Every structure is written in C-alpha cells, then in structure tokens.
C-alpha cells in the first residue's frame, strides 16, 4: 500500500483509528489479529536436537563403539553401565546448554525498547512489541522508530535511515501527502520506518505496519547476526582443542604400551578412550556460558542490564570509568535555588520576563493527575513556577501564549528557542548555556551581567541557565538558528542544583581503592563541574580538569601526556568524548563510558564497555551500549565491576578444578605401568569420576561469593591469560600430587595384599578431587576463615557426591556394576586420610602465597 500518498483522514478510516488513538480493548484485539511487533528470529534448535548434539563429539562416538564391542565379546554389564554414564553426561551437557540459552532469552526480553503511545487519548509508555496498526505514536530525538509509521505532525524531524536505505545523511521529514507514484523508500519523506533512528526533533504518527510486515521485516532474513563466543570462551575452546591433541597422543601411547605389555586390546582401548573422554574439558565452554549468564541475571537485580554477554567477563578489566555527571553521579532531581531577574517590566501582571520564559520554554508534559514528566532541568523550572503560582495559573499562561514554532536544543548550539503568539506578534524565548546566549545579546552591560553572575554561581556548583527574548512582528525567512537567535534582550538567570548521590561518593572511593580511575565528563560549566567533582571526591589536588575549549587547543601528543591525570572534563562535546576514550585506550587502558544521548553513541561504541542510562537514555544510546543502568546510578557501575571480577574469579576456579582433576587422572593411569603396577582403574571408574567431578561441584563454583579483597586489587589486564597468577602451576603440581597420593595408596594396598586395592584407588582419587574443590573456593582465604557453609550449593553437591561414592562402594548390586568391593573402616579411613593430604597441601599453598606477598 502507498500510504505516503493517502491523506491522514483516509488512513484513520482504513485503520479504524483517530488522533486520540485506539482503545485499550481494540489494541488487545489487534495483537491477536496482527501478532506482536517483533521480527522473527532464526529457528531455534529444539530441545530434543540440543540433547542429541551432545553425542556428536568424536570421543563419545568412539566410546560408544568400544562399549558395543565390549558387549559383543561378552561383557554386557560394562556396556550397559558405560552407555548409562554416556547418557548421564549428555544430560548434564544438555541441561547446561539449555539453561544458558534460557538465561540469554530472558536477558533479550528484558532489553526490549519502550514506546510512547496514545490510547483512549491518554499518553502511556508500552513495550514496542505491543504496538499494533492504528496506534498513535509519539517520538522524539534519540528514539528508534518502533514500526512503520505515517507521520501526522512533525517538528524539525530528521531521521537516519542508513540501516534501511544505506543513505548516510539524515533525512528531513514532513507530514504532508505526497503525490508521485512508485517513490523509493528514501524519498518517502512523510514516512518513518522501523529500526531507523530519530536524530532531531519530534513527531506524532500512526502505525501502518508492524513486525514482519514492516520494510525492515521484509529484509529481516539478512539482519540475523550469528551468535558470537565471548573472548574467554574462544580462548578456552582454542585451548581445549590443543589440549585434546595432547591427550589423544597420550591415550594412543597408553594403548600402544598396554598392548605391548600383553593387556587385552579391547580393554586397553576402552580404558584409553575413557581416559580421553574424562581428560578433555568439553564441559568448560558450557560452564563459562552459565557463569556469565548467571552473572548477567544477578546484575539485573542490582539494576545493571547486560545487553552483550562478553561485557560480564570484561567488566573486571576496567581501569577508567568515564561518567556523565547529571543523574549518574548526582540525584537527577534539579531544583531552582537562585533567580537573577532583570529589573524590567514583565509581560504579564504577575510574572517577570524570566519567570514567563521559564514557564513557556520547555518540553515538559503532564500525566492525567497533573504530574509533570520530562528532562530534569526543565522539570525543575516548571515545578518552580507551579509551586510559586499554581498549576491553574501555569495552564492559563501556556494557553494564552501558545507555541507556534521551535528550534530544538542541540549539543553544538547548547540552547533551545521557542516562539509563541503574543498580542498579534511573536514572542521569541531562548534558553541555554550562558556562553551560548552571550553571542545573541546586543547590550554590552547585559553581557557583563550575564557572565559575572554566571561565574559567581558556577563557582558554588550551581548550574546556570540563561534566558533571553525578543518580540517580532513576523517570523524571519529563512527560519533558522542564525535568523531567530540574534539581537535578543537578557531576561535573567535561573540557578539550579543537582545534589550528589551519597552512594556515588562511596562508590568513587571504592573505585580508587580498586585501582580504577573515575573521570567526570559533563557539558556543564567548568566551575560547576569542578565544584561537584571536589564534593564527590573525583577531583583532588593531584588531578587536573580540562574544558572542551582547552582540549581543542591541545595537540594529540600533549593530550596523551595528561589524559591519565585528568579527572574532570567540562563543556565537552560528544566528539570530544570519543577523543578522550581513544586517548585512554591508546595509553593501554580499559575504558567504561556512560552516555544517554544520540550523540553519545560513537563514544559508547568505541569504549571497551559502553554504559547507557536506562531512565534518561535514548534508544540509540541503549542500542550502542553493552550495559544499561536501570537506575542511572554511578554506584551501579561499580557494583557491576565488582560482579565482573567475581565472575572471572569463579571461572578461574572451575578451570583450576577441572584441569587439575583431569591432569590427576591422566598422571595416575599413565604412570602406573611405568612404576610396575597394574592399571589402577577400570574405564567405568574413570567415567564415573568424570561424571561426578564435572557435574554439580564444578557448576556450583559459579555461586561462590566475592573474595574479601576483590575491590582492593588492581584491574586484570584483558590480554592476561586465564592461567596467570600461578593457576597453571597449581594445575600441574596439584595434579601430580593427587596422582602421587593415589598411586601411593595403590602401592600400599598391593604390598599389604589388600584385595580391594582397586576400590581404594578409585575412592582416593574421587575424594581427593572433592576436598580439592573445597580448598580452591578461595585463592587467598583459608576454608575455615571463609566459612564452610558460605556456599551452600557447593557444600551440598560435595556431600551428595560423597554419598554416591559410598553407595558405589557399599551397595551390593553397585559392587557388581562398578567392580568394587566394600572397604573396611580402616581401609576407608586410609582413603580419607590420603585424600586430605590434597586439602592441607592447597591450604599450605595459600600460606606460602601470603608470605610471598608480604615480601
């Protein structure tokens, strides 16, 4: 349908709608008729196929074939048990992948954009997925267009349609009908299309198509992005691949040695394959995904919504947090605390020129209950007028001097102008930064007053808004910033204060302790920025402040010399934000950058972690970000950094746990023949150990709480290996020790002719791995200082695994299945005692590390 040619009334009739919008009941019916306003995603892998995919691994296939061959030659019990264990392993892998997928699905739902609509002539904000054809939508700069929309009313509207048409320049939009036929999308200037970005102005429009019926929906097949592994997952997958080759070589060597020693080929093949399956850490990618998605879910509870999963693991590497001031470091509750009014006649009997300007020049709207909502600074101005003169007086004034045109605020001009009817003439009111209005005035005395008073207030941390006006007989042509914002008369100043958040002060101190440099970047007056910076602890005697103008005059070389020591930037443009981010990155830093506006998108994209504001942030800034702060609070960024560090610590712990245990199994099987002892374990023992150690205990390490000193450490360098800081050495020496303890138990049992020697070996290796997981819960704190039950899921999983092991040892039918024999209390005591050697050795390692760090 060529809706761009149709009149608005015709479209209203076709969709059974009006300028007041649909009724809520009708909107609900249309959801059923048209479906939700969302693009169809590529078909998800069904659960049954996800389960079958667990059997694709070549090692599982080989093990399956070996188990079948074992059954053919007569050992049917082994075959059945091995097949059961294969299925149990597959179930655990399936549950891990399914949970990770579900977690990511939940996160996607939480990041759905919101849209302002009219329903029953009442304005409300709904999820964009609930839009239906016929809905009346209100849009403004910063919004992503939520559906295909025919524009009804526009004010300086410009839309970036590059995502749809490839045209890099924003398009000026109008609301009048077009008459030409077969116009291309780029020329349909009275239409707004789903997925495009509003860069300027505001508009009202009627939804004409949603979901897959939109222009974007028609090419949706080309928009699906493949899921990307996180950097850590990629490194671990690469490591796992290389490790697999080494383990396969060891297993081949084991098989060859066993055959040469006269072992039965099928038995030694089964053992070799079982060892390969146990030793290759195939569970690591799934465990990492679960740790990251659980961390992301946890962060939503502290008001940090993770949009991109890699952000969870990389938050712990942040060295600089560049934050906006308003609403993030402060309460975002601006209050007018000072007025400077020019002693001239007012335009009404009860209001001065300044107060009249405050009442008229803004974009604040009201709910049904007369509660104002809008940009915080403008809210403060309106609330001041209403408090001083009453809501009724404010409405009367707004109606009497109705707005006829406007020049919206932009970050380059730093001002906004509205034009109002005034006694058959036009009243021009301009509001903005003092420096911006200075150039619009003609009277030199007024210019001096403006600057002097602004400087005085700004030095106290007061935000200054300047107002100027003029009265015109007619609107100038062309109607531009240059023709309207000139030859103005100074109306006065409003001084506002946005108090710092108390929690931000504490968070800034925590940042500094954690080796993170907080930086404030604001468009505010330099004196205001410095005053707030000192109040909250960002700016001190050892740090610098810079203005945007000063930054412009610095060469890149000079800027790089002082960027690391600059804590406050004032009157900074979005382009300069990008320069700051890149300069810090050039110095080797890992930067988190906050932003809320359309023009913040480039710096959010460029930053290592882009952080958008959930309350004041535009759709564009949210789309460009990695993290969204649902409460716009700086303290939440610090909580997110702490959580990122905790998650990475826990990932290191289960890498340490799994790799150490796998190494112990390899050393035990590989070294026994060289020490002149029989094969210490059967294939079914290896598979059982693999099942219980790579199962619940490893998974519950993700629930481990943060170390006490987690925010007293310097940030981790993003390129640092996960095996750094002694983790690789730990895997080697503890793996060898665990194998040594196991083989010593075997030697002792054989020398003393203990019939159940193999059960003892099996038990020592199992229990050693379980005491190991308890001791590595912290790298620095002894277990009993940490609190034995501080991670109840882990303790519970260890207890359950111990019970299962005892079940295998002492239940008669399990003896038959697992080729085990009941142990006497003495033999069990020996097994427990030998296993505890591992626990005490790892605890002693913590003691050595502490002594080393003291030096």
């Amino acid at each position: 349908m060529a809706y761009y040619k149709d009149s608005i009334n015709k479209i209203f009739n076709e969709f059974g709608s009006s300028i007041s919008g649909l009724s809520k009941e009708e909107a609900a019916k249309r959801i059923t008729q048209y479906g939700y306003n969302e693009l169809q995603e590529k078909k998800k892998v069904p659960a049954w196929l996800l389960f079958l995919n667990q059997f694709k691994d070549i090692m599982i296939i080989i093990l399956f074939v070996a188990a079948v061959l074992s059954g053919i030659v007569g050992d049917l019990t082994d075959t059945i048990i091995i097949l059961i264990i294969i299925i149990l392993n597959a179930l655990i892998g399936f549950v891990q992948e399914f949970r990770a997928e579900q977690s990511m699905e939940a996160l996607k739902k939480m990041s759905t954009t919101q849209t302002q609509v009219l329903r029953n002539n009442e304005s409300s904000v709904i999820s964009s997925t609930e839009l239906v054809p016929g809905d009346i939508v209100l849009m403004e700069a910063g919004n992503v267009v939520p559906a295909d929309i025919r524009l009804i009313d526009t004010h300086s509207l410009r839309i970036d349609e590059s995502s749809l048409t490839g045209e890099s320049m924003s398009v000026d939009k109008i609301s009048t009908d077009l008459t030409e036929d077969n116009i291309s999308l780029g020329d349909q200037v009275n239409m707004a299309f789903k997925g495009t970005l509003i860069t300027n102005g505001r508009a009202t429009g009627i939804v004409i198509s949603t979901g897959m019926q939109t222009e974007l929906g028609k090419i949706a097949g080309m928009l699906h992005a493949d899921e990307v592994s996180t950097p850590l997952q990629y490194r671990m997958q690469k490591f796992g691949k290389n490790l697999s080759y080494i383990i396969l070589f060891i297993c081949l060597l084991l098989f060859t040695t066993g055959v040469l020693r006269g072992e039965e080929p099928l038995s030694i093949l089964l053992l070799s394959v079982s060892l390969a399956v146990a030793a290759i850490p195939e569970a690591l990618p799934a465990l990492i995904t679960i740790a990251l998605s659980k961390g992301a879910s946890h962060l939503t509870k502290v008001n940090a919504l993770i949009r991109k999963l890699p952000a969870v693991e990389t938050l712990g590497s942040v060295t600089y947090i560049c934050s906006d001031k308003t609403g993030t470091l402060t309460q975002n509750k601006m209050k007018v605390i000072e007025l400077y009014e020019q002693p001239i006649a007012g335009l009404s009997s009860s209001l001065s020129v300044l107060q009249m300007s405050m009442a008229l020049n803004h974009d604040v709207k009201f709910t049904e209950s007369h509660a104002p909502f809008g940009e915080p600074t403008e809210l403060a101005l309106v609330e001041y007028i209403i408090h001083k003169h009453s809501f009724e007086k404010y409405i009367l004034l707004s109606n009497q001097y109705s707005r006829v045109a406007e020049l919206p605020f932009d970050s380059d001009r730093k001002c906004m102008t509205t034009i109002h009817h005034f006694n058959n003439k036009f009243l021009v009111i301009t509001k903005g930064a003092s420096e911006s209005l200075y150039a619009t005035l003609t009277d030199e005395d007024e210019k001096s007053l403006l600057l002097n008073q602004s400087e005085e207030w700004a030095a106290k941390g007061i935000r200054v808004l300047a107002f100027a006006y003029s009265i015109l007989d007619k609107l100038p042509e062309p109607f531009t910033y240059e023709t309207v914002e000139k030859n103005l008369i100074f109306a006065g100043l409003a001084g506002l204060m946005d108090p710092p958040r108390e929690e931000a002060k504490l968070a800034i101190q925590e940042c500094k302790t954690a080796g993170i440099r907080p930086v404030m970047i604001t468009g505010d007056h330099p004196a205001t920025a410095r005053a707030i910076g000192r109040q909250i602890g960002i700016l001190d005697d050892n740090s610098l402040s810079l203005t945007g103008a000063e930054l412009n005059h610095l060469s890149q070389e000079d800027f790089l010399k002082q960027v690391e020591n600059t804590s406050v930037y004032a009157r900074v443009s979005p382009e300069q934000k990008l320069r700051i981010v890149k300069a810090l990155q050039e110095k080797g830093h890992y930067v988190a950058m906050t932003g809320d506006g359309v023009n913040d998108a480039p710096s959010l994209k460029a930053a290592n972690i882009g952080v958008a504001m959930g309350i004041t942030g535009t759709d564009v800034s949210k789309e460009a970000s990695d993290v969204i702060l649902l409460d716009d609070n700086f303290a939440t960024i610090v909580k997110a950094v702490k959580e990122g560090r905790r998650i990475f610590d826990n990932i290191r712990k289960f890498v340490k746990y799994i790799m150490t245990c796998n190494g112990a199994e390899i050393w035990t099987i590989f070294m026994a023949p060289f020490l002149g002892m029989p094969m210490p374990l059967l294939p079914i023992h290896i598979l059982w150990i693999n099942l219980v150690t790579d199962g619940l205990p490893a998974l519950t390490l993700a629930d481990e709480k943060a170390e006490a000193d987690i925010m007293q450490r310097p940030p981790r360098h993003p390129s640092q290996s996960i095996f750094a800081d002694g983790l690789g050495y730990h895997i080697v020496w503890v793996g060898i020790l665990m194998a040594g303890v196991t083989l010593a138990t075997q030697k002792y049992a054989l020398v003393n002719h203990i019939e159940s020697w193999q059960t003892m070996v099996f038990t020592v290796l199992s229990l050693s791995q379980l005491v190991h997981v308890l001791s590595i819960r912290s790298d620095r704190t002894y277990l009993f200082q940490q609190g034995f039950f501080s991670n109840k899921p882990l303790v519970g999983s260890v207890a359950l695994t111990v019970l299962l092991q005892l079940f295998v040892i002492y239940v008669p039918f399990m003896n038959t299945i697992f080729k085990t024999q009941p142990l006497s209390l003495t033999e069990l005591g020996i097994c427990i005692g030998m296993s505890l050697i591992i626990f005490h050795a790892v605890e002693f390692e913590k003691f050595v590390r502490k002594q080393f760090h003291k030096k």
Side-chain angles (χ1 to χ4, degrees):
M1 291 290 292
Y3 289 108
Y4 61 86
K5 291 179 62 179
D6 294 337
S7 68
I8 293 299
N9 286 333
K10 183 179 177 182
I11 293 173
F12 280 156
N13 290 333
E14 180 174 341
F15 286 99
S17 185
S18 71
I19 195 63
S20 302
L22 301 172
S23 67
K24 292 176 182 176
E25 295 74 21
E26 179 60 27
K29 285 181 191 174
R30 294 190 185 192
I31 283 282
T32 307
Q33 179 182 354
Y34 294 101
Y36 285 99
N37 176 33
E38 53 194 5
L39 300 181
Q40 291 174 5
E41 296 186 353
K42 58 184 177 183
K43 197 172 180 182
K44 290 181 183 151
V45 179
W48 64 269
L49 190 55
L50 201 62
F51 176 70
L52 289 181
N53 284 343
Q54 306 303 313
F55 299 96
K56 287 197 310 186
D57 188 271
I58 185 65
M59 301 311 303
I60 296 293
I61 294 169
I62 294 172
L63 185 61
F64 181 81
V65 172
V68 171
L69 287 174
S70 179
I72 291 171
V73 298
D75 198 347
L76 194 58
T77 305
D78 263 9
T79 300
I80 293 169
I81 297 306
I82 290 169
L83 291 177
I84 289 171
I85 289 176
I86 288 173
I87 291 169
L88 284 172
N89 264 312
L91 276 171
I92 289 174
F94 164 73
V95 168
Q96 288 171 344
E97 284 193 34
F98 186 74
R99 282 183 62 187
E101 203 172 89
Q102 292 296 100
S103 297
M104 287 307 299
E105 194 60 36
L107 291 174
K108 283 179 187 174
K109 286 178 182 174
M110 292 181 69
S111 57
T112 303
T113 57
Q114 304 291 301
T115 301
Q116 189 177 356
V117 297
L118 284 178
R119 296 251 173 101
N120 295 337
N121 204 28
E122 294 177 10
S123 173
S124 61
V125 176
I126 64 169
S127 166
S128 59
T129 60
E130 296 174 11
L131 283 177
V132 293
D135 261 328
I136 302 299
V137 178
L138 310 176
M139 302 174 292
E140 59 185 15
N143 293 157
V144 173
V145 177
D148 282 3
I149 292 168
R150 170 67 158 87
L151 299 170
I152 299 170
D153 184 38
T154 62
H155 295 271
S156 306
L157 186 67
R158 304 194 83 203
I159 299 182
D160 175 1
E161 296 184 335
S162 56
S163 62
L164 191 66
T165 64
E167 175 58 51
S168 58
M169 296 292 290
S170 293
V171 180
D172 289 303
K173 293 291 184 175
I174 59 174
S175 58
T176 53
D177 308 341
L178 303 177
T179 56
E180 297 175 42
D181 292 321
N182 301 318
I183 299 179
S184 67
L185 293 181
D187 292 325
Q188 293 178 23
V189 290
N190 59 1
M191 297 286 296
F193 299 104
K194 183 177 175 67
T196 57
L197 312 178
I198 300 178
T199 58
N200 193 72
R202 54 190 172 86
T204 305
I206 179 170
V207 174
I208 54 132
S209 54
T210 58
M212 297 304 291
Q213 301 307 310
T214 61
E215 295 298 330
L216 185 62
K218 293 172 186 175
I219 56 171
M222 295 182 286
L223 299 178
H224 291 311
D226 292 330
E227 298 228 351
V228 198
S229 294
T230 71
L232 178 61
Q233 283 174 309
Y234 174 76
R235 291 201 300 269
M236 292 312 300
Q237 285 163 357
K238 187 177 178 183
F239 167 74
K241 188 177 179 182
N242 294 334
L243 183 65
S244 298
Y245 295 139
I246 297 169
I247 291 168
L248 288 174
F249 173 75
I250 291 171
C251 291
L252 181 64
L253 189 62
L254 177 66
F255 175 74
T256 306
T257 307
V259 171
L260 291 175
R261 288 181 65 211
E263 301 275 358
E264 187 185 346
L266 185 61
S267 296
I268 196 69
L269 172 65
L270 204 55
L271 182 67
S272 300
V273 174
S274 300
L275 181 62
V277 171
I280 294 170
E282 73 284 341
L284 271 180
L287 286 168
I288 289 169
T289 301
I290 289 169
L292 295 176
S293 56
K294 284 178 78 173
S297 298
H298 178 74
L299 280 168
T300 60
K301 295 174 185 174
V302 293
N303 292 316
L305 174 61
I306 303 297
R307 291 191 66 254
K308 298 170 186 173
L309 203 56
V312 181
E313 80 178 54
T314 49
L315 274 165
S317 298
V318 168
T319 53
Y320 272 73
I321 300 177
C322 298
S323 173
D324 191 18
K325 175 182 73 68
T326 305
T328 310
L329 294 167
T330 58
Q331 295 177 19
N332 201 18
K333 293 181 180 177
M334 298 296 290
K335 184 179 179 183
V336 176
I337 58 169
E338 297 275 6
L339 285 186
Y340 180 84
E341 303 181 66
Q342 277 290 74
I344 52 179
L347 299 183
S348 82
S349 57
S350 59
L351 275 80
S352 66
V353 176
L354 174 61
Q355 291 183 35
M356 187 152 181
S357 300
M358 289 165 61
L360 296 175
N361 183 293
H362 61 78
D363 286 324
V364 171
K365 297 178 176 61
F366 292 84
T367 64
E368 273 189 321
S369 58
H370 300 163
F373 63 92
E375 195 274 328
T377 303
E378 295 190 332
L379 272 176
L381 300 174
V382 172
E383 285 171 348
Y384 176 87
I385 296 298
I386 291 174
H387 176 73
K388 191 172 180 68
H389 298 282
S390 81
F391 180 75
E392 290 72 20
K393 179 70 176 176
Y394 165 81
I395 292 296
L396 183 65
L397 190 72
S398 300
N399 293 334
Q400 184 179 354
Y401 303 109
S402 58
R403 185 184 301 189
V404 294
E406 66 182 60
L407 294 170
F409 176 88
D410 69 50
S411 55
D412 294 323
R413 287 165 42 249
K414 294 188 175 67
C415 61
M416 167 187 180
T417 296
T418 55
I419 295 92
H420 306 263
H421 284 299
F422 178 69
N423 299 337
N424 297 321
K425 295 185 180 182
F426 295 98
L427 171 63
V428 176
I429 302 172
T430 299
K431 171 190 72 188
S434 299
E435 304 96 303
S436 299
L437 264 69
Y438 180 87
T440 69
L441 303 180
T442 54
D443 187 291
E444 292 301 321
D445 290 337
E446 288 182 351
K447 285 185 175 184
S448 298
L449 280 171
L450 170 67
L451 289 185
N452 292 339
Q453 192 62 55
S454 296
E455 289 286 350
E456 183 183 327
W457 284 358
K460 300 175 185 176
I462 298 172
R463 181 173 182 181
V464 183
L465 272 181
F467 289 83
Y469 74 99
S470 67
I471 298 173
L472 304 176
D473 293 327
K474 63 178 183 176
L475 295 181
E477 292 184 7
F479 185 77
T480 64
Y481 305 129
E482 292 81 4
T483 59
V484 175
E485 294 172 354
K486 68 175 186 178
N487 300 326
L488 302 182
I489 303 166
F490 182 41
L493 302 170
L496 304 96
M497 173 66 80
D498 181 10
R501 293 179 185 261
E502 286 303 316
E503 63 270 29
K505 295 179 185 178
L506 297 173
I508 284 162
Q509 186 55 50
E510 193 172 10
C511 275
K512 291 182 174 180
T513 307
I516 301 167
R517 185 77 178 253
V519 175
M520 183 171 79
I521 302 177
T522 178
D524 272 352
H525 191 282
T528 307
R530 285 191 290 268
I532 295 292
R534 290 192 184 280
Q535 283 183 48
I536 59 180
I538 282 184
L539 187 64
D540 54 35
D541 294 337
N542 300 315
S543 56
L544 306 172
S545 65
L546 270 180
T547 65
E550 290 167 342
L551 185 54
N552 273 339
H553 288 99
L554 281 177
S555 67
Q556 187 64 8
E557 185 181 349
D558 289 338
F559 182 44
L560 286 172
K561 289 177 184 176
Q562 65 184 74
V563 66
E564 291 176 293
N565 202 35
T566 304
S567 296
V568 171
Y569 295 88
R571 285 289 191 257
V572 170
S573 69
E575 293 78 16
Q576 290 172 324
K577 274 191 176 185
L578 186 60
R579 185 183 176 190
I580 294 165
V581 169
K582 289 186 173 178
L584 286 169
Q585 289 172 331
E586 197 173 328
K587 297 292 283 187
H589 291 289
Y590 209 71
V591 185
M593 167 67 80
T594 73
D596 58 6
V598 176
N599 291 329
D600 289 329
S603 56
L604 290 175
K605 280 258 186 203
N608 302 96
I609 299 286
V611 184
M613 302 296 105
I615 299 172
T616 59
T618 59
D619 292 346
V620 176
S621 64
K622 291 173 186 175
E623 285 294 321
S625 70
D626 304 289
V627 180
I628 298 174
L629 299 186
L630 301 178
D631 59 357
D632 291 12
N633 193 340
F634 180 85
T636 303
I637 307 175
V638 181
K639 290 176 187 174
V641 168
K642 183 176 180 179
E643 180 67 11
R645 291 188 177 192
R646 183 190 74 86
I647 290 164
F648 190 80
D649 275 2
N650 290 346
I651 288 172
R652 278 174 52 93
K653 285 168 192 171
F654 58 66
V655 169
K656 179 190 284 189
Y657 174 54
I658 290 173
M659 296 306 301
T660 302
C661 295
N662 290 0
E665 292 162 28
I666 293 171
W667 286 113
T668 301
I669 298 292
F670 190 69
M671 293 303 297
F674 292 99
L675 296 173
M677 292 189 288
M679 281 298 169
L681 297 164
L682 298 174
I684 198 165
H685 298 155
I686 292 288
L687 293 171
W688 173 256
I689 291 171
N690 187 50
L691 177 68
V692 297
T693 58
D694 283 3
L696 284 175
L699 190 58
T700 52
L701 274 171
D703 294 314
E704 197 62 52
K705 293 178 181 175
E707 302 259 10
D709 66 342
I710 198 164
M711 292 301 278
Q712 277 83 54
R713 299 183 227 151
R716 171 185 62 87
H717 196 279
S719 63
Q720 184 187 70
S721 167
I722 196 169
F723 298 101
D725 198 25
L727 188 144
Y729 294 116
H730 176 98
I731 289 171
V732 173
W733 81 261
V734 177
I736 292 173
L737 177 63
M738 208 178 283
V741 166
T742 304
L743 292 170
T745 304
Q746 181 179 3
K747 187 70 175 176
Y748 167 82
L750 290 171
V751 168
N752 288 280
H753 307 291
I754 297 174
E755 191 178 343
S756 56
W757 66 268
Q758 198 166 54
T759 304
M760 290 181 69
V761 171
F762 177 32
T763 304
V764 167
L765 191 54
S766 296
L767 296 182
S768 294
Q769 295 185 2
L770 293 176
V771 298
H772 180 240
V773 78
L774 290 172
S775 60
I776 62 163
R777 285 178 50 198
S778 170
D779 289 337
R780 298 164 179 79
T781 309
Y782 303 123
L783 176 62
F784 294 106
Q785 285 181 330
Q786 188 181 8
F788 190 79
F789 293 101
S790 57
N791 184 346
K792 291 184 177 66
L794 186 141
V795 173
S797 69
V798 169
L800 176 61
T801 307
V802 169
L803 286 173
L804 290 172
Q805 184 68 24
L806 294 176
F807 191 63
V808 167
I809 297 170
Y810 291 108
V811 175
F813 81 86
M814 295 297 281
N815 295 154
T816 306
I817 293 170
F818 283 90
K819 309 292 192 296
T820 54
Q821 296 168 281
L823 300 177
S824 68
L825 284 177
T826 301
E827 290 164 353
L828 182 61
I830 290 169
C831 292
I832 293 170
M834 294 298 281
S835 303
L836 286 173
I837 291 172
I838 307 302
F839 175 80
H840 291 298
V842 177
E843 291 291 281
F844 183 71
E845 180 191 33
K846 296 175 189 176
F847 172 77
V848 172
R849 285 169 67 95
K850 284 184 178 181
Q851 299 309 307
F852 178 78
H853 283 300
K854 282 181 183 177
K855 296 176 184 178

